[in-house]
Amino acid sequence: MIELTRASFQYENSDRGVQDISLSVKSGECVVLTGLSGCGKTTVTRLVNGLAPSYYPGVFSGSVRIDGKDISRLSTWEIGRLVGSVFQDPKSQFFSSELAGEVAFPCENYGLSAREIRERTDAAIEALKLSRLKDRAVDVLSSGEKQRAAIASVYAMKPKVFVCDEPTANLDAAGTKQLAQTLRQLKEQGFTLLIAEHRIDWLMGIADRFLYLRDGRIAAEYTPEDLLLLPETDILGMGLRSPHEGKCLPAPSVLDESPAVLKTAGLSKRIRKEVIFEDISLSVPEGGVTAITGQNGAGKTTLAQILCGLAKQTRAAMGYPRRGNRFLPLPAVPPRWSCPCPSFPPPKRSRRGDWRSPTPEQAPVPRRRTRGCGTCLPGRRDEKCFADIPPECRSRCRKRE
């Protein structure tokens, strides 16, 4: 089905590529390309799906044949009917704004009948367990859900060859298990699979061969049984993840009395009408390693974006960073520091829809000012009223009294 004969490719203005790749994959066979990052796995997949050198310019020599046809003599759309590709970044291959439309797009692009498009779209969505996300916009999907949507769009076309570039990069354990079941079904149906992957444990019941690449060349070939017999040190030295259940290093100890550097209480996030998470309360100790884990779509990335100031929370009480023994509350959108001084204006939404907070130097000086800083009871003018005011704003508050 796939035949590469002394295939070499070097990217334009670069010394990276592959050299003298000779590879034969039979119909219905599953072959995994593995090796260190930069060894040439993705380049081999680009040779098979025709993206190199048609899309990625460079110098190519040798021959690549799919189902007995030399792809150098085929147009791009003809190669697409033979080879379906799932990229490492699923967003790079999306065309539609909704999941159902994205899955249906390849069928529409090739002019299939409306009835066949609906049947293939529904079958692909059901096979990838995406029924509950059918009418959801792709931009609100999690990273793992986007990966499964990309696989479903290729599955709907049912090409003879599936080329996947690290398809489990953003999948959780449950998603990886579902993907393994889907690929196993594809193999049982007679489809040919070519997969570039670092994680090889989930492929043990699917792959027929593992090709190890090093410096752009095929350095070794293994069967699943051969890999299982290799010592753990040899597998790690090859830059691969263990096919066995991995052992984690012991985590460094953190004192129980370590002060917290970040606290949240009641953190919630909604995107349109979709509830991402609600009432997240956490405390991150100083010097510790805190992991945010969960299933695809649980809100891990969204939570990290909010904590880093790259997204706006719906409602929350959150403190960061620490000053003494007190936590200063974050503004509604924390990318820019907002002074909690009462005379400092709150963030305002610009015409483009993003939030902008003026710097303390840009805060307007009010004409009339009450006694004190405004955060304490009327008539009080001790240092306690300045406890929660940043040092750079205290002088401004005193001058305004």
Side-chain angles (χ1 to χ4, degrees):
M1 179 60 66
I2 302 175
E3 190 76 28
L4 277 73
T5 304
R6 300 183 64 85
S8 300
F9 180 78
Q10 183 175 347
Y11 291 97
E12 187 178 19
N13 300 324
S14 174
D15 57 352
R16 302 184 64 179
V18 294
Q19 300 86 32
D20 198 22
I21 300 295
S22 295
L23 169 64
S24 178
V25 182
K26 299 178 182 179
S27 179
E29 190 178 16
C30 177
V31 175
V32 179
L33 306 173
T34 189
L36 292 168
S37 298
C39 67
K41 303 186 299 295
T42 299
T43 303
V44 174
T45 63
R46 291 171 179 172
L47 292 176
V48 174
N49 59 25
L51 291 180
S54 62
Y55 183 80
Y56 297 95
V59 179
F60 170 75
S61 63
S63 66
V64 179
R65 305 180 71 87
I66 304 296
D67 196 18
K69 302 176 182 179
D70 189 346
I71 65 172
S72 63
R73 300 180 180 180
L74 301 178
S75 59
T76 304
W77 68 269
E78 290 176 317
I79 299 175
R81 295 296 296 265
L82 296 174
V83 182
S85 301
V86 179
F87 303 141
Q88 185 175 358
D89 181 11
K91 294 183 295 183
S92 63
Q93 63 186 103
F94 284 166
F95 287 89
S96 179
S97 59
E98 294 185 355
L99 187 144
E102 176 60 32
V103 177
F105 177 78
C107 302
E108 296 173 344
N109 203 28
Y110 280 102
L112 302 182
S113 65
R115 178 180 178 180
E116 188 173 3
I117 291 174
R118 287 193 295 268
E119 291 177 352
R120 291 195 180 200
T121 300
D122 293 340
I125 291 176
E126 181 65 26
L128 272 294
K129 310 296 182 182
L130 294 169
S131 298
R132 66 182 182 88
L133 308 174
K134 184 177 181 180
D135 299 324
R136 190 172 299 181
V138 294
D139 60 342
V140 301
L141 299 178
S142 68
S143 299
E145 291 166 346
K146 290 177 181 177
Q147 187 71 279
R148 289 160 58 191
I151 296 172
S153 66
V154 176
Y155 181 87
M157 278 301 300
K158 294 186 177 180
K160 294 184 178 181
V161 178
F162 281 73
V163 174
C164 304
D165 187 7
E166 298 193 19
T168 63
N170 298 307
L171 296 184
D172 57 13
T176 301
K177 185 176 180 180
Q178 292 176 359
L179 175 62
Q181 294 174 353
T182 301
L183 294 181
R184 186 178 290 108
Q185 294 174 0
L186 292 176
K187 183 181 177 182
E188 292 174 353
Q189 296 172 13
F191 294 101
T192 304
L193 308 178
L194 181 65
I195 305 172
E197 183 61 275
H198 284 286
R199 300 164 58 182
I200 58 179
D201 55 337
W202 67 279
L203 289 165
M204 280 299 158
I206 305 173
D208 297 297
R209 289 181 292 153
F210 292 86
L211 300 181
Y212 179 70
L213 277 71
R214 180 190 296 135
D215 299 330
R217 300 177 181 271
I218 298 178
E221 179 177 333
Y222 301 95
T223 63
E225 293 76 14
D226 295 335
L227 278 180
L228 292 174
L229 294 177
L230 288 178
E232 192 80 10
T233 55
D234 292 350
I235 295 178
L236 296 178
M238 295 165 62
L240 306 181
R241 298 189 183 184
S242 173
H244 309 281
E245 184 177 359
K247 297 181 180 180
C248 300
L249 295 175
S253 60
V254 180
L255 299 178
D256 295 336
E257 60 272 13
S258 298
V261 294
L262 173 62
K263 288 184 179 180
T264 68
L267 189 65
S268 300
K269 177 64 177 178
R270 290 173 178 263
I271 299 179
R272 299 184 181 95
K273 296 182 180 180
E274 184 70 20
V275 178
I276 306 301
F277 52 75
E278 287 185 320
D279 297 329
I280 299 293
S281 299
L282 61 88
S283 177
V284 179
E286 184 178 12
V289 178
T290 302
I292 302 175
T293 185
Q295 295 183 348
N296 291 134
K300 303 183 296 296
T301 301
T302 303
L303 176 59
Q305 289 175 342
I306 291 175
L307 297 180
C308 294
L310 301 177
K312 176 182 179 294
Q313 66 269 21
T314 303
R315 61 181 177 86
M318 184 162 53
Y320 176 84
R322 181 167 57 89
R323 292 181 180 272
N325 293 324
R326 295 177 179 269
F327 281 84
L328 296 180
L330 280 178
V333 178
R336 298 188 180 184
W337 173 255
S338 179
C339 174
C341 175
S343 64
F344 190 71
K348 295 182 179 180
R349 188 180 291 274
S350 66
R351 292 182 179 179
R352 296 186 301 174
D354 56 344
W355 288 82
R356 294 178 177 272
S357 298
T359 61
E361 290 74 13
Q362 296 172 336
V365 179
R367 295 182 180 179
R368 299 183 62 183
R369 182 68 177 160
T370 58
R371 298 180 63 188
C373 66
T375 60
C376 55
L377 295 176
R380 291 185 57 186
R381 298 186 59 184
D382 52 16
E383 286 298 323
K384 292 182 179 179
C385 67
F386 293 101
D388 292 330
I389 304 299
E392 59 269 20
C393 299
R394 293 178 186 175
S395 59
R396 295 174 60 85
C397 292
R398 290 192 176 97
K399 291 179 182 179
R400 294 173 186 173
E401 294 179 3

